[in-house]
Amino acid sequence: IRPHHLRLISESAARPGDDPIFTLDAEARRRARGGEKVINASLGALLTEEGELAVMPTVTEAFRSVDAARAASYAPIAGDPSFLDAVRLDALGRGELARRAVAVATAGGTGAIHHAVVNYLDPGQALLTTSYYWGPYRIIATHSRRKVRTFPMLTDEGGLDLAAFESALESLIADQGRALVIFNFPCHNPTGYTLDAEEWKQVGEILARAGRSAPVAFLLDLAYAHYGAAGSDAWIEALAPAAEVCDLLVAWSASKSFAQYGARVGSLIAVVDDEEDRKAVFNALSYSCRGTWSNCNHLGLLAITRLLTEPEIAQRVAVDRREMINLLGNRVEAFNREAARVGLRHPRYEGGFFVTVFTPDGPATAAAARAEGVFVVPLEGAVRVALCSTPLADVPRLSEVLGRAVKSVGG
Ligand code: PLP
């Protein structure tokens, strides 16, 4: 008998194993290998119509072009200054906000979210996000001994529930004296929703009111930047007044915008109004880099810097990206048409990797679809559909199966 055989600390002793989405993906692949006609709309990577990972040739070329010795050397802890300048401009444009921003390199957008959580919340405090949200927000929060609070994301009319947002923000500030808000737009994962200019204006006003009463940071998770409909960068102008009283943070990522999921290149960008505070924020974020992964992938930083800063390459990568956006756009258009035909309910969907379909019972709907060979991710009151991994020709069957699955649970 070994009475104390598990030597993990208690909070680590019963962690869930495989990520549920990767588990679903594995089952879909296994059944496809067995000869079944499977539609795997579970995983968040953009696949070609032939089911291969979609890559951008110019990006591959840039990665191959980096000098081997430079790639092999350590990157500076905070990232190469030329990379940091380039991502600041890419995220914020050339206006005033970029001039008031500092940035550090992070291990993807995930690393940026981690750094925001550990530097803007005390242990035990909660971040605030939408009721539908990317699951790892909770893992990052829990792992660092923080929590997640949510507000109901959408009104009955299908817009962002601004009143619910403001009241949740006020009560969080009343409870803990500070707030970190995380939004993920454009092309929100999992709903596909993108805020319009008016919604951004009102979000800015809510943040400005809150920022005058307590320390407030607003983190925009820009994982799907570049996939949004025209005008989805309206947040830059709309949040400028709020950025005078709040810290405006951006989680920037090369994973989707350059189709380089494995490179783990990202950045946390912080617009901080006061110059001295800006220095303190940069130091805090650099310290977090040292205390987690030390230095990011230098090959990735150098290649992405070329892609962002050299005009001829930047132009070619924009053409590559346009092809990917069109690939996805055709599926989005087909989904909107087919979903209307079979009567699926979903948020406004103008582009992006995912959309959610509302249903009275997410897990039962996903199970019913799975029985027919269609893999989607169950959520509470919805299922997430990854159009990014669904070939155009499969969109009608996907919609029909989901229509039947939702009806089978009383929707
Ligand atoms: N945020 C959202 C909403 C995502 O869907 C993802 C990736 O799936 C990320 C952040 C982070 O991705 P990465 O760490 O690869 O940049």
Side-chain angles (χ1 to χ4, degrees), residues 12 52 113 284 338:
S12 304
E52 306 289 331
I113 295 158
E338 294 299 315

Side-chain angles (χ1 to χ4, degrees), residues 44 107-111 113 134 137 184 189 221 223-224 253-256 261 264-265 354:
T110 307
I113 295 158
W134 188 50
Y137 291 167
N184 163 227
N189 178 3
D221 176 356
Y224 300 93
S253 170
S255 296
K256 276 86 182 179
Y261 313 85
R264 311 309 304 139
V265 173
F354 309 104

Side-chain angles (χ1 to χ4, degrees), residues 342 344 368 372 397 399-409:
V342 302
L344 299 177
E372 292 200 55
R397 186 182 140 217
S399 308
E400 280 156 24
V401 168
L402 286 176
R404 276 197 292 280
V406 172
K407 282 201 187 80
S408 76
V409 301

Side-chain angles (χ1 to χ4, degrees), residues 212-272:
R212 282 189 208 100
S213 70
V216 171
F218 178 79
L219 172 65
L220 181 59
D221 176 356
L222 266 190
Y224 300 93
H226 297 296
Y227 291 92
S232 58
D233 58 358
W235 62 273
I236 300 179
E237 203 184 312
L239 299 187
E244 289 172 20
V245 287
C246 302
D247 280 7
L248 170 61
L249 313 175
V250 176
W252 187 96
S253 170
S255 296
K256 276 86 182 179
S257 44
F258 290 92
Q260 279 297 311
Y261 313 85
R264 311 309 304 139
V265 173
S267 175
L268 181 60
I269 303 162
V271 180
V272 182

